[in-house]
Amino acid sequence: MAGLEGVKGYGQSYYDYGSEYEGRKFGAKVSIGAAMLHNSKQNHPVADFNTGLTIPLGERAALEADANAQIGKEVKGGGGEARFVFDANPRLSLKAGAGIHYNNFDQKVVGLEQYDFSYGNASSDDGKLYHKNEYTFSGQGVKTHKSRDVERTVYGTAGADYKVSDKFTLSGGVALGQKRYEGEQITNVENGKYTYVVKEGQEVHYDDIGVTVQQPAQTATTEKTVIETTQVSQPAFVGNVRLGASYDINKNLQAGIVGSIPLNNKSDGFVGARLTVKF
């Protein structure tokens, strides 16, 4: 393949290196960058922070562990990922792992409604209370509709790094998992007068005149507030194609671009640029 003759190790196996090949080494890195996060509704610019460790597991394998955070005007997120890496040859590294990520988007009021209410469970046709468990409740309510996007995603990942040259590397892979999504939140607050039975009504029979009279219940009235909240909460399958490219400016400094293409409308997209310092 044209252009690969300049890649260190091209055409050689690991065991052709002799003392020249140093194998996997312990390392750490810190990255900072900017990115655009896209969920199902809109784009969110974020600052992107990453830290990572590489722990060698022999000459050709390693364990990589990363932690990341994204902070924007309308969203805060973060998570972690661990990967097993195996160097198939001097140019190609295979990776597989698992991770978890969390996004919390700012809550906004998208609807507000005020209304009058009056209801109860009186058994009599005229609405008067009689039995012990009967009541009436009337007043004014407020219905608030808020957006609330909270995402918790657990996923598995597989991919590869391909070293085009000593300085330039391409990355690709897939991430598949499940997202727990908490969506719109509706809250009803009803405040008013609550009237209830203190002593049940009773029938009184007057023998002398042969008449039976129903005496009403004794009631009490108090101020009462009832708050009811409902929220959309459901799991969803999510998947992404991951793409990236990095260039080693020097031994300790690397510049790169990263992207995550969603496979369905429940998955979040991501594209950004990072500057990484290696230790």
Side-chain angles (χ1 to χ4, degrees):
M1 296 176 65
L4 291 178
E5 289 78 2
V7 179
K8 182 179 178 181
Y10 173 67
Q12 301 177 359
S13 73
Y14 271 85
Y15 304 103
D16 292 333
Y17 279 103
S19 61
E20 181 183 352
Y21 179 67
E22 298 178 349
R24 286 276 178 173
K25 292 184 177 181
F26 179 86
K29 64 180 182 180
V30 177
S31 302
I32 185 171
M36 187 69 72
L37 174 65
H38 177 79
N39 72 344
S40 59
K41 296 181 180 180
Q42 59 182 326
N43 293 320
H44 303 272
V46 294
D48 184 36
F49 305 94
N50 284 262
T51 60
L53 290 175
T54 299
I55 303 172
L57 302 174
E59 187 181 64
R60 300 173 61 179
L63 179 66
E64 294 180 345
D66 295 341
N68 73 297
Q70 283 115 31
I71 301 174
K73 183 179 179 180
E74 299 178 338
V75 60
K76 295 178 178 62
E81 184 175 308
R83 299 175 299 277
F84 175 76
V85 184
F86 177 74
D87 296 333
N89 61 51
R91 290 177 288 135
L92 181 64
S93 297
L94 305 177
K95 300 184 177 185
I100 185 170
H101 192 80
Y102 172 86
N103 283 327
N104 188 359
F105 298 87
D106 286 356
Q107 190 176 70
K108 297 179 181 179
V109 176
V110 295
L112 186 66
E113 175 188 352
Q114 293 184 337
Y115 59 94
D116 295 325
F117 68 89
S118 180
Y119 56 87
N121 64 348
S123 58
S124 61
D125 294 336
D126 59 5
K128 291 183 179 180
L129 306 181
Y130 188 80
H131 297 292
K132 188 70 175 179
N133 62 345
E134 293 179 353
Y135 70 91
T136 61
F137 188 32
S138 61
Q140 189 174 64
V142 178
K143 181 179 181 179
T144 306
H145 184 189
K146 296 180 179 180
S147 68
R148 182 179 173 83
D149 292 341
V150 177
E151 302 172 345
R152 298 175 180 88
T153 305
V154 178
Y155 60 90
T157 181
D161 290 345
Y162 184 81
K163 198 170 184 63
V164 179
S165 70
D166 285 345
K167 291 183 175 292
F168 186 60
T169 302
L170 295 176
S171 301
V174 294
L176 303 174
Q178 185 182 73
K179 175 193 291 183
R180 170 62 66 173
Y181 167 78
E182 295 179 4
E184 290 80 4
Q185 178 179 288
I186 298 175
T187 302
N188 275 349
V189 180
E190 293 181 340
N191 183 68
K193 294 186 179 298
Y194 182 79
T195 301
Y196 58 98
V197 174
V198 176
K199 182 180 180 181
E200 284 191 333
Q202 56 186 327
E203 292 184 349
V204 178
H205 182 72
Y206 295 94
D207 293 329
D208 54 341
I209 59 176
V211 175
T212 299
V213 178
Q214 285 190 338
Q215 291 185 344
Q218 294 182 18
T219 62
T221 299
T222 185
E223 290 287 331
K224 184 176 181 179
T225 299
V226 176
I227 301 175
E228 294 182 349
T229 299
T230 58
Q231 187 172 46
V232 175
S233 180
Q234 59 187 14
F237 168 80
V238 291
N240 294 79
V241 175
R242 293 178 167 184
L243 299 171
S246 61
Y247 181 80
D248 293 333
I249 299 172
N250 56 44
K251 182 179 179 181
N252 300 107
L253 191 62
Q254 181 187 77
I257 56 174
V258 291
S260 182
I261 303 171
L263 296 178
N264 59 21
N265 60 5
K266 296 296 185 181
S267 305
D268 294 333
F270 183 83
V271 61
R274 293 172 180 165
L275 189 64
T276 301
V277 179
K278 298 179 180 181
F279 304 94

